[in-house]
Each structure stands twice: as C-alpha cells, then as structure tokens.
Amino acid sequence: MANQRMQMYTRSGTSEIEEPFEKPVILPSSDSKDPSSHAWADARFATDIMAEHALFFALLMPPELAEKERAEALEFAEKFGDLHRRIAAMGTPPEKGDLNRFTRDIVDDIKPFIAWKATMGDAQRNGTLRSLVWPLFFDHTRHEAERWTRRLEQLSGGESEFDKKEVAAFWNNIMEEHARFVAQLLDPDEFELIQKATDASAAFRKLGSGGASGAVSALAAKPATVTKALVEFPESSAVLSAAESILDFKTKTARDIEAARIKSIIDPRLVDHVRREALKFVDEFKRAV
C-alpha cells in the first residue's frame, strides 16, 4: 500500500483477495497510536459496515410488505456507500487540525441511521412493520452504530487507546448474537453446523458474564470457538482465543457458503461482513490495554 501507516488484512494473510465477495480490512500498523490513522481506518470500516447493514435490511424487506421502509434502507445504503468510497479515496488520514471536523461529520451522518434502526426495531416488535428483519437484528446493528459514534468521538479528542474491558464486553455480545443469527439462517438439515453455532453462542455468553469464572465456564462448554484456549490462562487469553477461533470459523464458513458446500439462506456478503467484524475484534483486543 502507498500509505505505510496502514496494513491490509485478508482471509489468506496475503495480498490476494478472494473474489467476488471478500473485502480486505485496512487498519493502522500494530504499533500505531496516531488518532488520525485510527480515525481514518475506523471511519472507513464503519461506513462500509453501515452501508451493508442498510443493504441487508433492504434484502429482507419485500416491496409487497415494506415498500417505503425498503426504499429508505436503500437510501441509507447509497449514502454510506458513497461516504465509504470518499473516505477510501482520501488515501491518507486527515491532518491533525482536521481530525475534529472529520470525525464530527461522520458521527452526524451515522446518528440518523441510529434513530431509524431504533424506529424500525420498535415497529417490527409491535407489528406495524411486517418485514423479514428480526427485531434483534435492528437492535444489534444499532448497537454497532452507537459504538462507532463513541469511538470516533473518542478519537476526535486525540485518544486512540482501546480499553480491554470495553472491547471484550462489546465484541463478546456481537459475536454471541452473530452465532445465533447463523444458527437461524442455516438450512434445517445442517444439524452439525447449527449445533456449532449454538455452542459458540453459549461460549460467548459465558465469557460475557465476566471474571475468571465466565472464562472457565466457556472453556468447559468446549465449543469449536474456544478450542485454542489454554488450560491455564488469564481471562484475557480466553477472550482472545475465542475471538481468534470465531474468526477462523467465520472464514471457513464464508468459503464454504460461497462454494455451496453449506446449505443456508445466508447471503455471501453477509458472512464476509461478520468475518470482518471478527477480525476487528481480534485486532482491537490485541491493541487494548
């Protein structure tokens, strides 16, 4: 890459991208504490994620049931897609003097989407919206958007450091919900994979309960997502092991869905989406103090 402050991460660990569904993740170098570099990378990542959230909503909103809401979702998808492309085209992070404006503008763009997700979630729950989007999916994506606004606001103040407890609490919950989503989207004949996804959900719930006892309980469950964890470990080792293992699981799942080796109704773009979020979990936890 032209920008030496950034690194590109792919499924294979090389410069090769697995077309047509893989998207690489661009992150600051592992030793970087520069707020501008982190702001550019996180804004690039978050706006792409927001664009995909909107697209997934639209795919789950049949025009016969939710024509107006589908059109709104597609507008958000276009808006965040354009914003992502503009950020990526910058090529380099904003200058220090422009950091506050850069982050503020992105936060201002995200806030209406947060409000829309909250409204749609309530509507799906009370029956005024009859889409195919689970209320939990609206809530899940809203929590992600809220977290990105907090992160960008933190960076605008010149603070790039991650807090281990915050990173673990946020991403453990996101990974746990991803596992439940996968279990519900697999073909009912995929008994083994449904069980693996259910086990992964249980493991992250136990890790999320906090303390060494939560980590021990997660290990005791012995799902596929924690098989790398050490027998003796500080709590952080169990969390990192679970994060790395769920990333491996999602990477394999992405390849298998793309090759039609797994029967499901999971869009290949969605499985790469959750893979990239797992990669971000691993990266943030390794950087956190």
Side-chain angles (χ1 to χ4, degrees):
M1 295 180 62
N3 184 352
Q4 296 302 313
R5 287 181 286 179
M6 298 292 168
Q7 295 180 333
M8 182 173 76
Y9 294 85
T10 64
R11 295 179 190 175
S12 65
T14 71
S15 60
E16 296 297 318
I17 297 172
E18 297 178 13
E19 300 287 355
F21 298 110
E22 181 188 6
K23 290 183 180 180
V25 177
I26 310 299
L27 297 172
S29 59
S30 59
D31 60 349
S32 173
K33 291 181 170 51
D34 174 44
S36 291
S37 296
H38 280 271
W40 182 83
D42 282 354
R44 184 184 184 281
F45 184 89
T47 51
D48 194 31
I49 291 293
M50 295 298 113
E52 291 178 339
H53 285 168
L55 174 63
F56 299 148
F57 293 148
L59 293 175
L60 295 167
M61 290 175 165
E64 298 86 351
L65 299 176
E67 183 177 7
K68 172 178 173 292
E69 294 83 359
R70 184 176 186 275
E72 291 170 347
L74 289 172
E75 287 179 8
F76 278 116
E78 183 176 1
K79 172 183 176 180
F80 282 101
D82 287 344
L83 182 55
H84 169 74
R85 286 186 287 273
R86 289 203 305 272
I87 293 168
M90 288 171 59
T92 58
E95 296 296 328
K96 184 177 180 181
D98 198 37
L99 178 59
N100 186 269
R101 181 208 58 79
F102 175 79
T103 55
R104 183 183 65 248
D105 287 352
I106 296 165
V107 168
D108 287 345
D109 282 328
I110 293 175
K111 284 181 177 178
F113 200 20
I114 291 173
W116 186 86
K117 288 174 176 178
T119 299
M120 292 299 102
D122 289 342
Q124 188 72 27
R125 262 184 291 271
N126 65 33
T128 55
L129 173 64
R130 298 290 186 179
S131 74
L132 302 178
V133 186
W134 303 308
L136 179 60
F137 191 30
F138 283 124
D139 293 344
H140 174 95
T141 57
R142 174 172 55 82
H143 294 154
E144 289 187 9
E146 289 169 343
R147 202 268 185 154
W148 287 119
T149 63
R150 294 193 299 271
R151 172 64 177 163
L152 289 168
E153 287 167 350
Q154 173 196 354
L155 289 165
S156 72
E159 299 178 15
S160 65
E161 293 80 7
F162 290 100
D163 176 79
K164 252 186 173 57
K165 287 185 179 179
E166 188 277 335
V167 170
F170 174 76
W171 285 114
N172 280 344
N173 183 66
I174 294 298
M175 297 298 110
E176 188 276 324
E177 291 178 347
H178 281 175
R180 280 191 277 157
F181 294 161
V182 169
Q184 296 295 322
L185 291 169
L186 289 165
D187 187 287
D189 279 341
E190 294 279 13
F191 294 106
E192 182 179 352
L193 282 175
I194 291 170
Q195 187 60 55
K196 285 183 178 180
T198 302
D199 287 346
S201 169
F204 279 106
R205 278 201 306 275
K206 288 169 182 172
L207 281 170
S209 67
S213 61
V216 171
S217 296
L219 282 174
K222 296 182 181 177
T225 54
V226 292
T227 53
K228 292 182 182 177
L230 303 174
V231 174
E232 294 180 359
F233 56 88
E235 181 187 356
S236 61
S237 294
V239 173
L240 181 57
S241 178
E244 290 176 333
S245 294
I246 198 71
L247 173 58
D248 291 345
F249 175 76
K250 287 177 176 179
T251 300
K252 183 178 185 305
T253 299
R255 288 167 172 157
D256 287 347
I257 285 176
E258 290 166 13
R261 290 189 292 265
I262 290 177
K263 300 184 293 295
S264 76
I265 55 173
I266 302 175
D267 188 301
R269 292 168 293 186
L270 176 58
V271 73
D272 190 68
H273 174 102
V274 299
R275 178 196 64 83
R276 281 178 274 126
E277 291 188 344
L279 189 151
K280 194 70 168 70
F281 179 14
V282 171
D283 179 78
E284 289 185 9
F285 198 78
K286 286 180 176 179
R287 295 176 192 266
V289 295

